[in-house]
Amino acid sequence: MELDSALEAPSREESSLSGELSPSALGQAFSKILHSLTRPEARRGNGKDVALKDLGDLIEATECDRLFEGSGARLRGMPETLGQVAKAVEKYAAPRKEEEGGGDGHSEVAEKAAKVGLLFLKLLGNVETAKNSLVGPAWQTGLHHLAGPVYIFAITHSLEQPWTTPRSREVAREVLTLLLQVTECSSVAGFLRGENEDEKGSLSVILGLLKPDLNKESWKNNPAIKHVFSWTLQQVTRPWLSQHLERVLPASLLISDDYQTENKILGVHCLHHIVLNVPAADLLQYNRAQVLYHAVFNHLYTPEHHLIQAVLLCLLDLFPILEKTLHWKGDGARPTTHCDEVLQLILTHMEPEHRLLLRRTYARNLPAFVKRLGILTVRHLKRLERVIIGYLEVYDGPEEEARLKILETLKLLMQHTWPRVSCRLVVLLKALLKLICDVARDPNLTPESVKSALLQEATDCLILLDHCSQGRVKGLLAKIPQSCEDRKVVNCIRKVQQVSEGAPYDGT
């Protein structure tokens, strides 16, 4: 092979030791390996496999200090050449587009990753050795070029994904651990943002390496890219994330704006992390917050419970930022907010919804919207009343999550809108009594702890309803203990009567 002659000839001419190549011959050898790893035609044969083996032999045979010394202008320095080779090796081990792979393709990727991981361990080991022997910034320059590709490789193959195996994940995690050791970082977050205030982290370099693969045309060519980006983003918090907003926001919006639910959820998680870790002023600048809101809001029309949960959590943290620009002067009706808009859509979806997972997801987040709007929840009172009554009538499974959250919503609603509750006394009282009777007579479907929680919440609601109606509930319930034989129902009624008569009660 042509590469073999490049490796062997200089060692015969210049030294009896195979590793002592001249700087020009060493640079030429790395350049030929780089060419073999990057040329498209090598993919159909075993050219890249051979090049990877040659690279391992060359690293093994070359003294560590010579790997990081500058060569001529022709190769722009050995450290930069090493960085290009590391980038090509990382691409070699990357998973292929989903439709091109399959089970066999994934196993092939895992085998390549294990080989590449061992090679990166050798290379990082040489960096560690060079730290103790080189004088000056040579090894630091080399590490600067190596760190980005090595990090991307490590994250790609250390996460549990279809293209990884226990062996490839183990090797990748060893690579990540050694990378942190060599860079003298205590954590991945420190590696990305910088361990000290005056130290620049590697996030800019890594985002630059990811950028060519994170555009509309190419981001699905490598299924690992979105996971590497998302995982990396989650490691960087405020105040460090804001300086990278221009680079992370477009990529997050791109992943979110996809037809696959998995990608929608991943993108929304990225956007939520940005909302939590970027100052409101930066998000409001250039209308970014509005763009973000509309991108996330549109996902509410996709009836998938995991996505709806991610979207609602993101929106609840985005509302305070959006409402910073709203100013009520007290001379008219308060303007409707984005929270009003979202709650209106949620209630529209909740009324006819019959799928239990979606019902639970909507009910789980409803109390947060009532807390957020406070007294302004009166705008949605009629529809909330219909939803609450409808959901209290339907059994929700052994855990009864939906009905428990609906009772919590009802309590908050009565606390915030109590002047409007008395006119709905009969309707709400009937719904609560029916729920208490249903739960008390449930023979075996629901665990006793859940039954107790439901009865306690319903009793708290009756007590609040009595307060909101100036004691009318007590009068309407007066004859029930005389005619009802169910002990659990009677206990609930008596609790309401006792509190109404002035006994202390902690539930309100």
Side-chain angles (χ1 to χ4, degrees):
M1 183 183 172
E2 185 181 3
L3 176 61
D4 293 335
S5 62
L7 292 173
E8 292 169 6
S11 63
R12 288 195 301 268
E13 292 171 4
E14 299 185 22
S15 173
S16 59
L17 295 174
S18 60
E20 294 186 2
L21 300 176
S22 67
S24 60
L26 189 60
Q28 185 182 18
F30 275 117
S31 294
K32 288 190 176 182
I33 289 172
L34 179 60
H35 177 69
S36 298
L37 289 169
T38 54
R39 62 185 178 188
E41 63 270 16
R43 183 178 172 182
R44 295 192 292 270
N46 64 346
K48 289 188 178 181
D49 297 332
V50 174
L52 192 70
K53 182 179 182 303
D54 290 340
L55 178 59
D57 294 340
L58 184 59
I59 292 172
E60 192 80 37
T62 307
E63 294 179 6
C64 60
D65 55 344
R66 302 189 61 210
L67 285 174
F68 306 107
E69 63 186 9
S71 43
R74 177 176 174 269
L75 294 176
R76 295 174 300 171
M78 188 63 71
E80 187 168 343
T81 304
L82 267 178
Q84 293 296 324
V85 171
K87 191 189 301 185
V89 170
E90 183 273 317
K91 297 287 185 189
Y92 164 80
R96 291 176 290 175
K97 200 172 182 179
E98 280 91 337
E99 54 264 30
E100 295 178 9
D104 295 337
H106 289 329
S107 62
E108 182 186 344
V109 170
E111 290 174 10
K112 289 180 178 179
K115 294 177 185 176
V116 169
L118 294 174
L119 191 148
F120 277 146
L121 286 173
K122 286 183 188 176
L123 204 49
L124 290 172
N126 284 346
V127 177
E128 185 73 12
T129 304
K131 283 170 63 177
N132 302 320
S133 60
L134 286 180
V135 178
W139 69 268
Q140 293 176 331
T141 306
L143 183 58
H144 172 76
H145 291 287
L146 287 173
V150 171
Y151 170 86
I152 292 173
F153 164 82
I155 302 305
T156 297
H157 299 282
S158 62
L159 304 176
E160 192 160 340
Q161 295 293 345
W163 56 84
T164 66
T165 61
R167 172 58 181 159
S168 67
R169 288 195 292 272
E170 180 186 359
V171 173
R173 286 165 186 165
E174 288 177 12
V175 171
L176 183 59
T177 301
L178 186 54
L179 176 63
L180 295 179
Q181 178 184 324
V182 170
T183 54
E184 299 177 352
C185 295
S186 59
S187 64
V188 173
F191 170 76
L192 293 170
R193 67 172 188 246
E195 284 286 318
N196 305 310
E197 290 184 7
D198 57 344
E199 182 182 341
K200 188 178 180 183
S202 300
L203 183 59
S204 289
V205 173
I206 289 160
L207 291 175
L209 291 171
L210 294 176
K211 186 177 180 180
D213 295 319
L214 273 176
N215 59 61
K216 192 174 182 180
E217 289 74 31
S218 65
W219 75 279
K220 287 196 173 183
N221 292 339
N222 178 353
I225 285 294
K226 61 189 178 187
H227 296 290
V228 174
F229 171 79
S230 173
W231 194 89
T232 300
L233 177 65
Q234 301 287 333
Q235 309 308 307
V236 184
T237 55
R238 63 169 67 217
W240 298 279
L241 187 59
S242 58
Q243 60 187 299
H244 304 283
L245 181 60
E246 292 287 350
R247 304 176 82 173
V248 299
L249 182 57
S252 301
L253 289 168
L254 174 67
I255 297 171
S256 169
D257 185 26
D258 190 58
Y259 69 93
Q260 291 181 306
T261 302
E262 173 199 350
N263 294 332
K264 290 177 189 284
I265 295 171
L266 191 65
V268 170
H269 284 317
C270 292
L271 293 172
H272 191 188
H273 184 77
I274 290 171
V275 169
L276 292 173
N277 291 282
V278 173
D282 290 338
L283 290 175
L284 291 171
Q285 193 176 25
Y286 306 123
N287 227 24
R288 292 187 186 110
Q290 287 289 348
V291 171
L292 204 155
Y293 168 75
H294 288 295
V296 176
F297 177 83
N298 289 335
H299 292 314
L300 289 173
Y301 292 98
T302 304
E304 210 292 319
H305 68 282
H306 288 305
L307 177 61
I308 297 295
Q309 177 66 25
V311 166
L312 293 179
L313 291 177
C314 180
L315 287 172
L316 284 166
D317 286 319
L318 183 60
F319 291 147
I321 296 171
L322 292 165
E323 290 166 16
K324 281 183 179 291
T325 58
L326 297 177
H327 300 287
W328 181 55
K329 298 180 180 178
D331 54 354
R334 294 192 188 186
T336 56
T337 63
H338 296 87
C339 188
D340 285 300
E341 183 181 15
V342 174
L343 180 57
Q344 184 177 356
L345 182 61
I346 290 174
L347 294 174
T348 300
H349 290 168
M350 286 184 78
E351 280 194 76
E353 188 54 65
H354 62 278
R355 287 162 287 195
L356 286 178
L357 291 175
L358 274 170
R359 288 169 66 91
R360 289 170 190 160
T361 302
Y362 288 130
R364 187 183 306 128
N365 293 280
L366 202 54
F369 280 86
V370 176
K371 286 180 185 176
R372 178 75 199 160
L373 286 172
I375 185 63
L376 296 180
T377 313
V378 294
R379 294 169 174 168
H380 311 276
L381 205 50
K382 288 183 179 179
R383 184 167 285 180
L384 270 167
E385 177 190 318
R386 294 199 300 268
V387 166
I388 288 170
I389 293 171
Y391 274 56
L392 289 180
E393 291 176 349
V394 179
Y395 172 71
D396 183 50
E399 298 303 318
E400 290 281 18
E401 182 183 0
R403 289 210 280 194
L404 283 169
K405 285 298 180 181
I406 287 296
L407 287 170
E408 182 183 344
T409 302
L410 179 56
K411 285 170 65 176
L412 290 167
L413 188 64
M414 288 191 288
Q415 289 169 356
H416 288 293
T417 65
W418 60 269
R420 299 286 186 92
V421 172
S422 58
C423 61
R424 294 171 168 80
L425 169 63
V426 176
V427 175
L428 293 176
L429 182 59
K430 283 182 179 179
L432 290 169
L433 288 175
K434 184 177 185 301
L435 172 66
I436 290 172
C437 292
D438 289 344
V439 172
R441 294 169 184 172
D442 181 4
N444 51 24
L445 292 176
T446 308
E448 284 301 318
S449 60
V450 177
K451 286 184 185 180
S452 299
L454 278 170
L455 292 174
Q456 183 62 53
E457 289 293 313
T459 303
D460 291 345
C461 288
L462 285 174
I463 292 168
L464 272 173
L465 187 60
D466 185 65
H467 290 334
C468 293
S469 60
Q470 291 80 44
R472 289 167 59 193
V473 170
K474 176 187 172 185
L476 292 170
L477 298 179
K479 295 183 179 181
I480 292 181
Q482 302 171 11
S483 57
C484 181
E485 298 180 355
D486 192 298
R487 181 176 54 83
K488 291 182 179 178
V489 175
V490 173
N491 285 340
C492 291
I493 302 303
R494 284 179 177 162
K495 284 181 184 178
V496 177
Q497 291 175 330
Q498 289 170 2
V499 173
S500 299
E501 290 169 358
Y505 184 72
D506 296 331
T508 57

